[in-house]
Amino acid sequence: MNNNNLYQYILGIADNSLILGQRLGELTGHGPSLETDIACTNMSLDLFGQVRSYYQYAAKIAGDGRTEDDIAMLRKERNYLNVLLVEQPNTDFAYTMARQFLFDVYHFLFLQELQKSKDLTLSAIANKSIKEVSYHQRFSSDWIKRLGDGTEESQKKMQTAIDDLWRFTDELFHQTDADKSMVSEGVGVDVTKLKDTYYKKISDILEESTLKIPESKYFQKGGKQGIHTEHMGYLLTELQYMQRAYPNMEW
Amino acid sequence: MSEEKIKNLEAQFEERIARDEKIEPKDWMPEKYRQTHIRQMSQHAHSEIVGMLPEGNWITRAPSLRRKVALLAKVQDEAGHGLYLYSACETLGISRDEMYEQLHSGKAKYSSIFNYPTVTWADMGAIGWLVDGAAIINQVPLCSTSFGPYARAMVRVCKEESFHQRQGFEIMLKLANGAPEQKDMAQDALNRWWWPSLMMLGPTDAESVHTEQSMKWKLKRKSNDDLRQQFIDQTVPQADLIGLTIPDPDLKWNEERQSYDFGEINWDEFWQVVKGHGPCNKERMAARVGAWESGEWVRDAAMAYSEKQQERKEKQAV
Amino acid sequence: MSDKKTWPLWEVFVRSKNGLEHRHFGSLHAADADMAMENARDVYTRRNEGVSIWVVESKHITASNPEHNGEMFEPAQDKVYRHPTFYDLPDEVKHM
């Protein structure tokens, strides 16, 4: 591959949407209300739409005959580059919304910068996606407020979810070698520069939601190097089931 | 109101329907009309919602991204259709929560087809092709039913469902033209879903209790047996086209009737499933009740938040 | 049933494209106006059906009573002079 860094860089972006979309897809038919169910599926559909654009582009760059589905479903676990945050399970609706919120705020800031990429395909995908993600951010922020400032029970559940998922937020701002090389070429986004704005935005919403901002300084990382939490293997088992059980077939 | 006056109103009411006038929620209507519509519409809505489960079962395992988004969109549409139908039903003075209670307690029924398991990917094809195919046959005539909100909901539902059956047939087509293993998978799915799909169109006319009244109110345009025949006649050539075999040794073209003759339906199985003893009745109900109960704190929180916001606004205004 | 408050019902009106009026699309449940707006967007414009949405809580709508339809609407039926066809003009008059 003549542009392995770009290829890896695209996977790093796309895998986040793939894994989060997959998690949201698990909920279809099981949401707390019909309306909320429909809304979460919409977010899942947005994310999978983005995923397809990224992987189709990655497939073109790889140029080895692999398709978007090969890239999405036929890698080994160690080759998925998503952050740990997005693979965390739907423990309850508070976890689902907390995960969404903590990712959406990052995702929006990230796409804002990616729009300026010198790579025209990436900037075009960012242009389209940012409208979707802008809505996701509004949706999840609203739910943080409702659950945070709702009942005593909901506040407790929301606080637990935020406290628990907080340790995965720092990784959003780590850079891999591929990231650094893409930043230096004007293609990639320097995520380290998004960190302060991110935590400011998050803190503002949490405060408004009467939630405490976690103080823990201990963070987890590894997703960007393909070292995932134990949840990931099960998620991939489902995602890859058909492609693994029936190799080399068209669907 | 005197009995005579009610009789008079009823006669006028029936005349309006016979003239193809629509009945709207606030119009006077016989109590039986209201109850029948609540029953049928809520049953229809429940079927959409429970119907999300067997297909939702394969969302995380869809074999390609293209199939995954199509399936997600389809299952989501079913949530939407349930919502339209619950809303239409609410115009008759029953709340969605009350309808849920009826579903969860087993008092209200839903289409028995959704009590069969989806065991392979091909089942997504078979459901789209056969189950949605049978549903369309049932639903299209409802677009001109007499109760306005129901008719309007059905117009929207039918418009949106137009891609559902094609989505399923395309899955079957791809499998039928694929590797031998894929073709076997498709045939196996057809074998398992064929008979339940025929049952889905309802008991035979001889056993059907509501037909005459339903015809008058345009809740039905054709009898169950006629609908079943229509479904068979349109589906058999489609199976031929993709090289799959309908699992009925008695199936034969009848030149004289210009229709297919077909074998005996196992109605014992049908009634067993309707009475709650199908392969997945318990799982389907557990999933619905589970979603409702584990969502309770979420719904309460949203309500509490809304009230707090309202209070704050009022305080600010003072 | 408990007296617990459930999400109220809202009516949704959608403008399909600029130049057209908002039309009643259906209803939904939501805890507050913001949620009703989000739900309306997610439920009723999944297929690009709209450019503008109104939501109003159903209880705020005052509806006419169909039992009064006679006095409400029939008196307008015989006011034929409100319609252009009431007036006889020679065929030679164009553009009127």
Side-chain angles (χ1 to χ4, degrees):
Chain A
M1 204 182 305
N2 54 17
N3 203 341
N4 191 44
N5 276 336
L6 178 58
Y7 176 76
Q8 295 292 329
Y9 186 68
I10 299 168
L11 294 191
I13 308 170
D15 288 353
N16 285 336
S17 294
L18 173 74
I19 303 302
L20 187 57
Q22 177 80 356
R23 278 291 185 225
L24 286 169
E26 292 171 11
L27 284 175
T28 304
H30 307 277
S33 80
L34 263 185
E35 286 83 353
T36 324
D37 203 306
I38 293 171
C40 288
T41 307
N42 266 349
M43 292 197 289
S44 179
L45 281 167
D46 287 343
L47 291 167
F48 281 120
Q50 297 165 13
V51 163
R52 295 189 67 188
S53 308
Y54 287 125
Y55 287 156
Q56 283 163 11
Y57 185 36
K60 211 166 96 185
I61 288 163
D64 53 8
R66 279 185 300 162
T67 64
E68 56 171 34
D69 292 321
D70 296 335
I71 297 176
M73 298 177 182
L74 285 173
R75 276 178 288 154
K76 301 280 191 283
E77 174 166 343
R78 290 282 274 105
N79 297 323
Y80 283 86
L81 304 178
N82 57 282
V83 291
L84 302 178
L85 175 65
V86 293
E87 70 202 42
Q88 298 311 305
N90 298 308
T91 308
D92 63 20
F93 195 66
Y95 273 81
T96 300
M97 280 302 114
R99 181 186 65 208
Q100 193 66 37
F101 168 65
L102 293 173
F103 184 72
D104 288 344
V105 173
Y106 160 80
H107 200 185
F108 183 80
L109 294 172
F110 176 82
L111 289 173
Q112 235 175 5
E113 293 305 309
L114 191 65
Q115 284 181 304
K116 302 172 199 156
S117 172
K118 276 189 187 156
D119 184 304
L120 295 181
T121 309
L122 286 182
S123 75
I125 299 175
N127 255 326
K128 180 180 171 290
S129 309
I130 198 161
K131 293 180 192 120
E132 298 167 343
V133 172
S134 170
Y135 185 78
H136 299 179
Q137 181 179 242
R138 178 143 67 92
F139 181 85
S140 59
S141 303
D142 282 353
W143 273 105
I144 298 295
K145 290 180 214 162
R146 285 188 195 109
L147 299 181
D149 193 14
T151 60
E152 213 175 300
E153 183 188 9
S154 74
Q155 189 188 44
K156 215 168 117 194
K157 285 196 150 101
M158 197 70 231
Q159 188 69 58
T160 307
I162 291 284
D163 289 349
D164 203 14
L165 295 175
W166 193 254
R167 65 200 151 117
F168 300 116
T169 52
D170 189 63
E171 190 192 8
L172 292 164
F173 309 101
H174 292 196
Q175 281 185 318
T176 63
D177 291 341
D179 292 348
K180 283 178 197 156
S181 114
M182 284 300 105
V183 171
S184 70
E185 285 181 34
V187 169
V189 174
D190 185 352
V191 287
T192 59
K193 289 190 180 145
L194 306 178
K195 194 168 172 174
D196 291 344
T197 320
Y198 174 82
Y199 281 110
K200 172 82 174 59
K201 268 179 123 175
I202 296 275
S203 304
D204 286 349
I205 302 270
L206 291 183
E207 241 165 65
E208 201 188 326
S209 314
T210 70
L211 292 164
K212 286 200 237 19
I213 297 147
E215 281 166 11
S216 171
K217 295 277 179 284
Y218 296 101
F219 293 102
Q220 299 300 321
K221 60 176 196 289
K224 288 185 176 181
Q225 280 72 41
I227 305 168
H228 293 278
T229 56
E230 290 180 348
H231 304 295
M232 185 69 169
Y234 296 96
L235 183 149
L236 291 180
T237 303
E238 287 192 26
L239 178 72
Q240 300 190 341
Y241 167 62
M242 290 298 291
Q243 292 280 347
R244 295 283 178 206
Y246 304 91
N248 302 317
M249 295 181 196
E250 281 184 39
W251 303 95
Chain B
M1 218 181 287
S2 74
E3 216 167 291
E4 195 184 343
K5 197 169 172 209
I6 290 180
K7 269 229 172 90
N8 209 355
L9 281 170
E10 272 178 18
Q12 282 175 11
F13 180 84
E14 299 295 346
E15 274 167 32
R16 286 180 64 194
I17 292 181
R19 279 198 304 270
D20 262 338
E21 273 182 43
K22 297 285 182 218
I23 307 301
E24 293 297 342
K26 285 187 162 26
D27 293 351
W28 185 88
M29 62 184 74
E31 193 48 29
K32 194 167 171 221
Y33 183 89
R34 181 186 302 275
Q35 293 309 331
T36 303
H37 276 79
I38 288 177
R39 196 186 60 237
Q40 174 158 341
M41 284 193 285
S42 65
Q43 202 166 308
H44 197 161
H46 297 327
S47 298
E48 296 282 355
I49 300 312
V50 178
M52 296 172 74
L53 299 169
E55 289 177 285
N57 186 32
W58 278 87
I59 287 173
T60 57
R61 291 176 293 168
S64 71
L65 293 173
R66 181 173 181 272
R67 292 287 175 218
K68 197 189 283 282
V69 290
L71 186 61
L72 265 167
K74 180 182 184 235
V75 179
Q76 184 197 41
D77 272 351
E78 283 154 12
H81 299 168
L83 192 152
Y84 306 156
L85 289 160
Y86 282 128
S87 302
C89 208
E90 281 180 273
T91 63
L92 289 175
I94 182 170
S95 71
R96 195 195 291 176
D97 285 15
E98 285 173 89
M99 289 185 264
Y100 275 157
E101 261 178 47
Q102 292 177 352
L103 174 69
H104 297 161
S105 69
K107 193 183 156 210
K109 299 273 176 257
Y110 56 89
S111 185
S112 59
I113 191 114
F114 301 119
N115 292 313
Y116 289 86
T118 49
V119 294
T120 72
W121 169 251
D123 291 10
M124 297 305 99
I127 289 183
W129 175 33
L130 303 173
V131 177
D132 286 272
I136 291 168
I137 285 184
N138 249 331
Q139 289 175 346
V140 168
L142 287 172
C143 294
S144 56
T145 191
S146 65
F147 186 52
Y150 196 18
R152 289 192 289 274
M154 289 317 297
V155 168
R156 189 176 292 274
V157 167
C158 287
K159 209 158 85 189
E160 295 187 353
E161 274 196 0
S162 54
F163 92 83
H164 292 185
Q165 198 192 7
R166 296 173 76 114
Q167 179 258 166
F169 190 72
E170 197 196 74
I171 290 174
M172 287 308 247
L173 179 69
K174 201 83 183 177
L175 293 174
N177 291 330
E181 247 180 308
Q182 286 174 299
K183 192 166 178 179
D184 290 349
M185 193 192 279
Q187 182 63 53
D188 168 62
L190 173 58
N191 293 350
R192 283 180 290 107
W193 290 94
W194 174 254
W195 291 103
S197 301
L198 297 189
M199 296 175 201
M200 186 184 159
L201 291 155
T204 56
D205 296 348
E207 299 238 7
S208 184
V209 268
H210 305 300
T211 300
E212 200 191 333
Q213 182 73 84
S214 298
M215 293 269 191
K216 229 165 56 184
W217 289 340
K218 300 179 181 165
L219 278 168
K220 240 180 182 339
R221 289 284 160 107
K222 286 182 184 172
S223 74
N224 293 349
D225 287 338
D226 288 347
L227 291 172
R228 199 165 4 252
Q229 187 69 59
Q230 183 187 339
F231 174 71
I232 292 169
D233 290 347
Q234 78 180 37
T235 310
V236 173
Q238 293 166 355
D240 290 344
L241 189 76
I242 55 175
L244 296 178
T245 312
I246 303 281
D248 178 358
D250 297 325
L251 189 81
K252 215 174 76 208
W253 178 251
N254 183 324
E255 192 57 41
E256 195 183 322
R257 288 200 307 124
Q258 287 292 300
S259 258
Y260 284 92
D261 292 336
F262 56 97
E264 195 72 33
I265 292 172
N266 180 355
W267 291 110
D268 289 344
E269 177 183 321
F270 174 75
W271 291 114
Q272 180 178 334
V273 180
V274 169
K275 285 177 185 146
H277 308 289
C280 295
N281 294 61
K282 288 195 168 47
E283 286 79 359
R284 300 295 181 244
M285 258 326 93
R288 281 317 312 156
V289 173
W292 184 245
E293 287 178 352
S294 60
E296 189 178 8
W297 70 269
V298 178
R299 297 189 301 274
D300 290 351
M303 219 45 230
Y305 174 78
S306 151
E307 280 165 5
K308 282 188 206 172
Q309 290 293 96
Q310 195 60 37
E311 272 169 36
R312 277 170 210 154
K313 240 188 241 164
E314 277 159 18
K315 255 186 213 152
Q316 262 175 10
V318 175
Chain C
M1 269 185 57
S2 64
D3 57 350
K4 204 163 68 182
K5 289 202 180 126
T6 54
W7 293 4
L9 195 65
W10 298 72
E11 301 301 323
V12 180
F13 300 82
V14 177
R15 185 201 297 287
S16 310
K17 60 177 192 188
N18 273 9
L20 298 178
E21 70 276 56
H22 285 76
R23 202 165 60 78
H24 185 233
F25 260 45
S27 36
L28 48 76
H29 288 272
D32 54 49
D34 288 340
M35 196 202 282
M37 187 55 84
E38 286 168 7
N39 290 348
R41 178 260 194 194
D42 284 318
V43 172
Y44 286 104
T45 65
R46 301 199 298 287
R47 285 175 170 76
N48 201 18
E49 291 98 332
V51 296
S52 164
I53 299 176
W54 291 345
V55 289
V56 57
E57 206 178 326
S58 311
K59 70 174 186 199
H60 295 310
I61 291 181
T62 308
S64 64
N65 182 344
E67 278 170 34
H68 301 157
N69 272 12
E71 65 200 61
M72 287 283 281
F73 306 115
E74 279 172 30
Q77 279 171 10
D78 67 351
K79 309 292 191 291
V80 283
Y81 42 81
R82 291 194 199 277
H83 300 281
T85 46
F86 178 74
Y87 301 93
D88 292 326
L89 293 184
D91 291 344
E92 291 76 35
V93 183
K94 307 274 190 222
H95 307 297
M96 190 178 285

